[in-house]
Amino acid sequence: LAARKAATLDRISGGRVSLHIITGGSDLDQGRDGDFVDHDTRYRRTDEYLTVMRRMWTEERPFDHAGEFYRVIKAASDVKPLQRPSIPLYFGGASEAAHRIGARHCDVYMLWGEPLAAIRERIATVRAAAAREGREPGDLRFSVSLRPIIAPTEAQAWDKARSILAQVRAKQGDRTLPLPEAVGARRLVDFAAQAEVYDERLWTPIAGAVGGAGNTTALVGTPEQVAESLLAYHDLGVTTLLIRGFDPLADAAEFGRELIPLVRAGAARRDRSRPAA
């Protein structure tokens, strides 16, 4: 059903649909939605789910499938995606199971905003997993998720960042957050415990304050400084930058006006100067 709905939406939108597949990293969160299987079982289920989904998009004849979690008879979709061979799949996760399943199925592997050295290592790990699945290097792209905090001057940007952290801590109150179950969130908490700032602008205290929840590592500075930091991830092979702010509407307007044009221009310059493969 999800495959048919996504294919229909892809047709209606002129081929603009991508799907971000979230397996779930917390038993507590999954339990809230009535799902009580363990971490590795969830990833096995995701593996089978995506296998069936992609077959619905690509196979021209009805097919049968009988697996550990799903069984279908003469499954078919009259509507195929406009994007061929299939709708792009985004995927994330920092565990070994996530690397394996994501490398097998996804088009874009999503990473939290970690230090540059860690991102370089994660990209190499996922690429190695993809190679074991028989995929070519160009089959898989990478995305990094970050929260820019920008202002006209660097001092103003740091003042803004500290103000946001104070608001987060006030909202948290005296609660002691448990160590997160998700491997990716634990990594952010560990980075925050080791240092407040990496690579000049990657600021970790907010991620530490919220227990590694969500996209909470920040890049702090002027638009020009933050653009250069974002481009440093591009230099590692990252092709998608997922950014959002702490004041969604105002930050979206500010990013579109002040930050995104600088990143696009810088990426274009780098791509032009890169030797042809």
Side-chain angles (χ1 to χ4, degrees), residues 162 164-174 196 205-206 209-210:
R162 286 187 283 269
I164 294 169
L165 177 61
Q167 295 174 50
V168 169
R169 286 176 171 164
K171 186 175 180 179
Q172 293 291 110
D174 296 329
E196 287 194 3
I206 294 176
V210 300

Side-chain angles (χ1 to χ4, degrees), residues 123-166:
I123 288 175
T125 297
V126 176
R127 280 180 171 160
R132 289 192 292 271
E133 296 293 331
R135 303 188 67 186
E136 298 295 326
D139 291 344
L140 191 59
R141 293 175 287 128
F142 293 89
S143 169
V144 169
S145 301
L146 293 149
R147 294 236 196 175
I149 300 174
I150 60 175
T153 70
E154 184 174 6
Q156 289 173 327
W158 283 109
D159 287 344
K160 184 176 176 181
R162 286 187 283 269
S163 175
I164 294 169
L165 177 61

Side-chain angles (χ1 to χ4, degrees), residues 24 54 74 108 110 172 176 229:
R54 201 177 288 275
K74 298 191 182 305
V108 181
M110 304 188 70
Q172 293 291 110
T176 300
S229 293

Side-chain angles (χ1 to χ4, degrees), residues 32-262:
R32 291 188 179 112
D33 289 330
D35 182 16
F36 297 98
V37 300
D38 61 42
H39 175 277
D40 286 357
T41 304
R42 289 199 294 271
Y43 276 98
R44 292 203 314 276
R45 183 176 60 191
T46 297
D47 184 18
E48 189 176 340
Y49 184 96
L50 294 178
T51 298
V52 176
M53 175 174 274
R54 201 177 288 275
R55 290 185 72 183
M56 288 287 287
W57 290 334
T58 58
E59 297 200 13
E60 298 301 328
R61 297 178 178 276
F63 65 90
D64 297 343
H65 172 89
E68 181 181 359
F69 303 97
Y70 302 104
R71 179 170 178 257
V72 296
I73 299 172
K74 298 191 182 305
S77 177
D78 292 334
V79 178
K80 299 298 184 185
L82 186 62
Q83 300 176 88
R84 304 311 299 262
S86 62
I87 289 171
L89 297 177
Y90 285 60
F91 196 92
S95 67
E96 189 277 332
H99 290 158
R100 183 177 66 256
I101 304 308
R104 181 176 300 160
H105 291 284
C106 77
D107 300 284
V108 181
Y109 205 98
M110 304 188 70
L111 307 170
W112 292 130
E114 298 182 355
L116 293 170
I119 292 294
R120 182 186 295 109
E121 181 180 342
R122 293 285 308 285
I123 288 175
T125 297
V126 176
R127 280 180 171 160
R132 289 192 292 271
E133 296 293 331
R135 303 188 67 186
E136 298 295 326
D139 291 344
L140 191 59
R141 293 175 287 128
F142 293 89
S143 169
V144 169
S145 301
L146 293 149
R147 294 236 196 175
I149 300 174
I150 60 175
T153 70
E154 184 174 6
Q156 289 173 327
W158 283 109
D159 287 344
K160 184 176 176 181
R162 286 187 283 269
S163 175
I164 294 169
L165 177 61
Q167 295 174 50
V168 169
R169 286 176 171 164
K171 186 175 180 179
Q172 293 291 110
D174 296 329
R175 286 186 299 160
T176 300
L177 298 177
L179 187 67
E181 290 180 45
V183 177
R186 285 207 302 270
R187 287 174 63 92
L188 295 188
V189 170
D190 289 343
F191 284 123
Q194 294 169 36
E196 287 194 3
V197 179
Y198 294 83
D199 307 318
E200 294 189 76
R201 319 226 154 266
L202 183 69
W203 195 55
T204 65
I206 294 176
V210 300
N215 169 15
T216 43
T217 44
L219 290 174
V220 183
T222 66
E224 293 78 11
Q225 290 170 331
V226 171
E228 283 303 310
S229 293
L230 288 168
L231 289 166
Y233 290 98
H234 176 73
D235 292 340
L236 296 180
V238 172
T239 59
T240 300
L241 295 164
L242 192 161
I243 60 172
R244 60 171 172 158
F246 292 94
D247 183 0
L249 181 57
D251 287 342
E254 187 176 41
F255 294 166
R257 184 178 62 249
E258 305 289 346
L259 183 59
I260 292 174
L262 294 172

